Each structure stands twice: as C-alpha cells, then as structure tokens.
Amino acid sequence: MDAHKALIKDIFNGSTYVEVPFFQRSYVWKEDLWERLLQDMEFVVKTRKPHFLGSIILKEGAKPDSSEKVSSILTVVDGQQRLTTFLIFLKVLCLKMGQTALFDFQFRIMGEGIALHHGKNDVDAFERVMSLDKPDMIDNPEPASRIIEAYNYFVNNINPSLLDIMTIETNTQFVRIDLNADEDEQQIFDTINSLGVNLTTSELLKNYFFSRDTIQEYEEKWASVFEKDDEAKLYWDQEIEVGRSKRAMIDIFFDAYFQIFIQNKKYNIAVEDRLYYARIDNLAQSYQHFIKKYCGNDKNVILSQLKEYALCFMRAFRPDACESSLPAAYGMERINIVIFGLKTTTLIPYILYLVKNVDNQAEFNKICEILECFIMRRMVIHETTKNYNNFFTSLILNATLTVDTLKDRIKNASESTTYIPDDAALLEGFNTSRLTNLQTKGILYMLESRIRPSNASTALLGFNGYSLEHLMPKKWRNNWPACVSDDLARNRDIKLLTLGNLAIITQSLNASIRDADWDTKKKGKGDNKPGLEMCAGGLHTLYSVLDKEKWDEDEIITRASWLYNQAKEVWKTI
C-alpha cells in the first residue's frame, strides 16, 4: 500500500484508465453534497489555499494489452462518489467557460474515450453527460439518474465568474492510496471508513465473480435471484441483528453458503485456513482464497450451485414470521422464530444445508422438532450458546441429514456447550433461572403456540405482538403484602424474576396497573387502563392464574411446576 497526496492530474493523466467496478453500488450523492462541493470550490478560488477533498483508494487492475492506448488500468475501491462529482463539476465548468478542449485533454484517453469508466448502473448516464458540448439542462426520464441530477444542478448553479479551473485543479488535493493486485481492499476500506458505510460481502463477491465480459452469466446466476424484482431486493437488503451488529440477508446467505462448502470433507481444509474462514469480516476474501487454493481457481465450483441454494434460502428463512401467528406443528415456521425472534442465527447454515438436501418433508419437520427441543431446553436452564456455531457446522461436516444421525450426535455430546438437559435440569430451570426478557418471552410464546387448544376463542398473535409482564411486580413493596423478614423479602425479589412469575401479554400495562395490588392488576382501572384479564385473557400459559385470589411465592412455584409439565411434553428428551 502506498499513500500520498495527489492532485486530480495525478489520477487522470491522459493514459491511465480508471474503472469503477462493474457491479458497484450506484452514484448516490444528493444536492446537499453538490452544494457543499460548489461552495468549497468557490472558497478555494477566493482564498487560493489548498483544499482536501477526501481519500481515493485505487487498486492495480488488469494489465493493458500492448494494442491499447492506456499505460495502466486502476480499479476504484473507494472514492467513486467524489471522483464522479468532481468530474461532472469540472465538465460543466469547462462547458460554461468554453474550454471543452481542456477537459478532453485531461480526462480522455488520447482525447478519445472518457478516462473514468462507470459500472452498469451509471455508465450510460455518465457517458451521456461527458459527451455534451453545451451547458444546457437535459431531461432525466424515470428511473431518474443521480448523475444527470448532479449535472443539471451544476448547470443551474455554477457561476463561472466565481471560479477558475487552474486554481481549483492545483489546490484541490486528495489522499491517494494505491494497492497492488494482491492486497486486501476490504480491510483497508473498512479501516479508513470505520464510521461510514462499509463495502458489503455481496458487493465484493459480485465484482469478483462477474465482469463486463460475463453479463449473461451474471443475469442467469445472480440477477435472476438477488435482483429479480423489488420484492427480491427488499428481501435480500433487509437487515437482521446478528450478535451485536446488523447484517443484510444477502450477506447472511453468503456466510451460510460458504460454511456448507468448507465443511465438505473432500476439500480437506487446513486448520489455519478454517480459523481464517471463521471470520465473517473476511468473508469475501475467504471465498477468493478458498477458490484459489482448494478449487483450482475455478469460480464455477461456487457459482454452479449459487442460484439453487439462494432460492432455497429465500423460501425457507422468513424474518417476517415474527409478525404472524405461529402454527403448533413443528417445522420451518417455528424454526424461523427460534432464529429471528430468539436471535439464534448460528443455526442458519445447518438449516440451509437441510433445506437443500432433505427431500422428505416429514423427516425435515422431525429434525426441526429435535433442534427446537435442543435449543429451548438449553434456553430454559440458561445454558451457554457460545459453541453453537461450531456444533451446528459440525453437523454439516458429518453430513447429518436424518433424524437418527442427529439424535446420535446430540446424545453423544457431553460438553456443557452442546449437551441436551434432562427433565430434572429442566424443572430446576423453571424454578430458578433468571433469563433475559427475550428468552423468557420466547419460551412462553413457543409453549403457548403448542399447548393452546385448536378451538381457542382468541387468536395467537405473532411473536412481535407480545410483551413480557411480571405477575408480581418488581416494585411489590408499594402495594403488595409485606414479608415478615428481610430474608423472605430477598427471596421474593429473586423468585419474581423466574419463569413462574412471568407472562406474555398483548400490550404493556399502564404503570399504575403494573405495580398495583393483585386484584387491581387483574381487573385494571376501566377501559383506559386495562388489566391482565383484558391484556392476557385467553392465553393458555396463564391457565388458572387469573382465577387466583392472591399471588405469592407459593403460586409462582406452582405455576413453574405446571409450565415444566407442559414443556417436558412439548420439548421431549432425545
């Protein structure tokens, strides 16, 4: 990597071809940034002081043929927005000052083709603007192009009397960062732009797999899935919480898809490579390394199955399942709640592997039942999830595609990170575990969906339609009977945080109801302040609770035992 100060003439020199990756995101700058650039350029001319316009990352591209009129080809890793805007600005300024020959001399290759070649989304609009010979407004038919919007803005707003081309070009500076062909552009981009919008895995992979010369293959294997229509784009662009960050569904897919390949024993992946491949921030580079080292540089190993797996992924994984009523039958609908509602996204690669390779629907549903039992039992006892990624990918590694083989894998897992709790541990969990609100809500919701009668008078809402409520409030001291000793009070403070005292309800209670005495909490204070009978009536996980004349530690223990008896039947041991 070589970083240094550069003027625009150091980037475009009449023989250097600068190329925006063909599938790079579109030009997106708006009027506020165009206005700022124009004001900055007027300030440069007025003060004749150097002005820093930002950084440009350029990577060494393909070697030009001897017959070509270029000395080098560079790919824009970062900076297409400011380079594009600056050239449009200079184009309009030259047109208004009658100096088109100066612009062509600087920014065309041997006076011919424009030296900045855009990607597929903007190439036509950019070349249209660059070909103009008069500073006139031009039409911008739908879908409107930001390139043309920028051009029209500068036509309307540039005052040539306030600007001077040579002063601007000799005082406008960039930090130019040059990378050789082997350097990791994503790592450098992300480091420099740590507070900005990072390049996504999918953007990097699209430009790696396809080029201007493989448009048909791109249309067949990529665009027909990921860019098919607005509905598809919305699906793949939606962001999901993964750990402490958010990731687009398309990037989650590429992570899961990659895991399926690297768990295949035929590739015999080295240990050090497995460690490298495990880092999601290196995923695009991991794909390239894997293809080069283990696939003989044959990209088709990945591309040949890409569309089929992507369609399987799109059909199976539905974050919007959290908005719909959950069926009682085990299967993908319930697994979607486990993954997206309870944020167990480490399960995705294995489920994708199953969706693609298990044809028998009954077998698939039974596998989903086992996985739900495994995860929910461990959640009840507040067992760690830190090894889930390794465990679930090991199921791919060992081609675990049947109910029997999955049962064997789980039964033989003795470590605390992978075992399935027995009934005794499950009972202890219902009595003593203090879980997060999300975990508790998930346990009660998943139970509710299984045990409620099929002819229930109230409909089950989606997972996101419920909130969590403490039956005995945390602030019980305000309106509930006092304990006879400090030890009993401390015991109550602990007990009210356990599953026996928690309920899912359709809407949060008013603060005056939440902390009220038991009778008021049940009945509420009129229509404007409903109680549990209105906000939770009809939920089977509250069976008989709202008939109780009092609610105390003994009732919490009784309900915990009742919930346990439901859970041990819903989530059976293996």
Side-chain angles (χ1 to χ4, degrees), residues 160-183:
S161 66
L162 300 177
L163 298 166
D164 177 75
I165 296 172
M166 298 310 297
T167 302
I168 289 171
E169 291 191 1
T170 55
N171 285 279
T172 302
Q173 302 176 351
F174 300 86
V175 170
R176 173 174 171 170
I177 302 172
D178 289 305
L179 310 180
N180 63 42
D182 298 323
E183 288 187 280

Side-chain angles (χ1 to χ4, degrees), residues 112-393:
E112 297 180 5
I114 194 73
L116 178 64
H117 200 179
H118 257 277
K120 66 181 289 288
N121 297 314
D122 296 314
V123 61
D124 292 338
F126 186 72
E127 293 191 355
R128 179 186 175 193
V129 166
M130 292 297 111
S131 67
L132 296 171
D133 56 10
K134 294 180 181 179
D136 297 331
M137 296 278 287
I138 59 175
D139 63 302
N140 193 8
E142 294 295 333
S145 165
R146 287 276 171 80
I147 297 277
I148 294 176
E149 286 181 18
Y151 167 80
N152 285 334
Y153 172 84
F154 289 125
V155 168
N156 269 334
N157 292 279
I158 284 179
N159 182 348
S161 66
L162 300 177
L163 298 166
D164 177 75
I165 296 172
M166 298 310 297
T167 302
I168 289 171
E169 291 191 1
T170 55
N171 285 279
T172 302
Q173 302 176 351
F174 300 86
V175 170
R176 173 174 171 170
I177 302 172
D178 289 305
L179 310 180
N180 63 42
D182 298 323
E183 288 187 280
D184 183 350
E185 67 266 32
Q186 184 184 27
Q187 182 183 30
I188 294 167
F189 178 94
D190 290 352
T191 299
I192 293 172
N193 296 279
S194 59
L195 298 179
V197 179
N198 293 344
L199 291 172
T200 65
T201 295
S202 56
E203 288 172 327
L204 291 166
L205 288 175
K206 181 162 60 171
N207 282 298
Y208 167 68
F209 285 127
F210 307 105
S211 69
R212 301 174 194 272
D213 300 323
T214 58
I215 299 298
Q216 184 175 349
E217 187 176 27
Y218 154 75
E219 294 288 350
E220 292 173 355
K221 297 179 179 179
W222 186 287
S224 64
V225 180
F226 302 116
E227 301 166 4
K228 181 181 179 181
D229 50 35
D230 289 342
E231 183 180 355
K233 291 176 183 177
L234 284 173
Y235 175 82
W236 292 112
D237 287 345
Q238 65 184 312
E239 292 188 330
I240 303 300
E241 286 189 24
V242 180
R244 298 178 181 178
S245 62
K246 287 189 173 183
R247 300 181 69 199
M249 285 290 279
I250 190 170
D251 288 352
I252 294 172
F253 161 72
F254 275 107
D255 187 14
Y257 185 51
F258 190 55
Q259 290 300 321
I260 292 171
F261 278 94
I262 67 174
Q263 301 305 326
N264 192 322
K265 292 181 179 179
K266 77 176 185 179
Y267 295 114
N268 194 26
I269 308 293
V271 173
E272 61 271 19
D273 288 337
R274 286 189 179 278
L275 292 173
Y276 178 73
Y277 295 161
R279 290 177 56 101
I280 61 172
D281 55 340
N282 290 334
L283 187 56
Q285 284 67 41
S286 293
Y287 265 96
Q288 296 176 42
H289 184 275
F290 170 75
I291 290 170
K292 183 177 181 180
K293 184 171 181 178
Y294 295 101
C295 305
N297 217 24
D298 182 5
K299 297 177 183 178
N300 198 51
V301 171
I302 298 294
L303 290 177
S304 63
Q305 301 181 70
L306 177 64
K307 181 174 181 177
E308 191 173 0
Y309 266 101
L311 290 172
C312 286
F313 186 98
M314 195 174 184
R315 183 174 66 250
F317 297 103
R318 308 301 306 185
D320 56 3
C322 294
E323 307 297 336
S324 305
S325 180
L326 184 65
Y330 296 106
M332 193 64 221
E333 293 91 341
R334 296 178 66 85
I335 288 296
N336 271 319
I337 303 301
V338 174
I339 291 172
F340 299 109
L342 295 175
K343 307 190 188 311
T344 317
T345 53
T346 49
L347 188 55
I348 290 177
Y350 180 52
I351 293 295
L352 177 60
Y353 178 68
L354 293 172
V355 170
K356 174 65 169 58
N357 295 290
V358 177
D359 296 327
N360 186 297
Q361 190 63 48
E363 184 85 356
F364 177 81
N365 291 342
K366 184 63 179 177
I367 291 173
C368 288
E369 177 184 354
I370 294 170
L371 292 169
E372 181 181 327
C373 293
F374 172 80
I375 291 169
M376 299 309 297
R377 276 181 170 257
R378 290 178 59 85
M379 189 174 293
V380 170
I381 72 166
H382 210 191
E383 192 54 274
T384 181
T385 62
K386 69 178 183 180
N387 201 40
Y388 275 9
N389 185 62
N390 290 336
F391 178 67
F392 293 134
T393 53

Side-chain angles (χ1 to χ4, degrees), residues 473-487:
K474 293 180 181 179
K475 297 180 180 180
W476 57 270
R477 290 173 176 82
N478 293 341
N479 297 297
W480 289 57
C483 295
V484 297
S485 71
D486 289 342
D487 285 344

